Amino acid sequence: DTAVSQTPKYLVTQMGNDKSIKCEQNLGHDTMYWYKQDSKKFLKIMFSYNNKELIINETVPNRFSPKSPDKAHLNLHINSLELGDSAVYFCASSPGRGATEQFFGPGTRLTVL
Amino acid sequence: SQKIEQNSEALNIQEGKTATLTCNYTNYSPAYLQWYRQDPGRGPVFLLLIRENEKEKRKERLKVTFDTTLKQSLFHITASQPADSATYLCAPAYSGGGADGLTFGKGTHLIIQP
């Protein structure tokens, strides 16, 4: 009964490939997010979705695209992977916008060779 | 530009003592501030949220203060235990509109020594 789950846990791929990371939440939350944690441990917001609509799009390369088939899922597609994309990617969800706690998934460690 | 400062060097505390972690922010006027705990290889876990009109918030052995004049939040763990060892992240944020995703400090690595 995991609240926020991500697959895969680890992803190793070659430069130039296209990959996807899946995220699902069973909390009934309206808002979902993607964060990137780099090698220096900074955790940065990439995207957020509220009721299937993108409401934040931080200055990330357009090679990254979030896709939400329904309220419980927010997948992250990455095209033409680069070495600098290597990081841990976290999905999160919250009951709504604003001052609410966020629930994070276990993370996906992406390594681009 | 907005900046969040946490002591990212390891903080070593003797078991049973009170651990105090600091979060300073500049060029910010957050309406609230959240604290999270992150263990190695895991996602952050929410601990406490304090609003700008609250001076102090408590939850079991945890206490958070929020001084909007000093632009600082302090996070206290009383009667610390080795199981409290983790990285603690602060995230000052605005209420509603604009940025819903959190901006985190780099975190403080807390080590509680038995």
Side-chain angles (χ1 to χ4, degrees), chain A residues 90-101:
Chain A
F90 288 99
C91 177
S93 72
S94 65
R97 302 177 65 181
T100 59
E101 66 181 276

Side-chain angles (χ1 to χ4, degrees), chain B residues 25 33-34 55 65 75 85 87 91-92 98 103 108:
Chain B
Y25 56 90
L33 189 146
Q34 299 189 31
K55 295 296 183 186
T65 63
F75 178 83
S85 299
T87 296
T103 300
T108 296

Side-chain angles (χ1 to χ4, degrees), chain A residues 9 11 21 35-39 42 46 64 82-90 107-112:
Chain A
K9 175 77 172 170
L11 184 54
I21 306 172
Y35 288 84
K36 177 182 179 180
Q37 189 166 42
D38 60 23
S39 57
F42 276 110
M46 298 178 70
F64 291 79
E82 300 178 356
L83 294 176
D85 297 333
S86 295
V88 181
Y89 292 84
F90 288 99
T108 295
R109 181 173 291 278
L110 171 65
T111 303
V112 182

Side-chain angles (χ1 to χ4, degrees), chain A residues 67-85:
Chain A
K67 287 186 171 54
S68 179
D70 55 58
K71 197 174 82 166
H73 297 83
L74 183 64
N75 304 324
L76 182 64
H77 298 273
I78 315 170
N79 295 323
S80 303
L81 278 156
E82 300 178 356
L83 294 176
D85 297 333

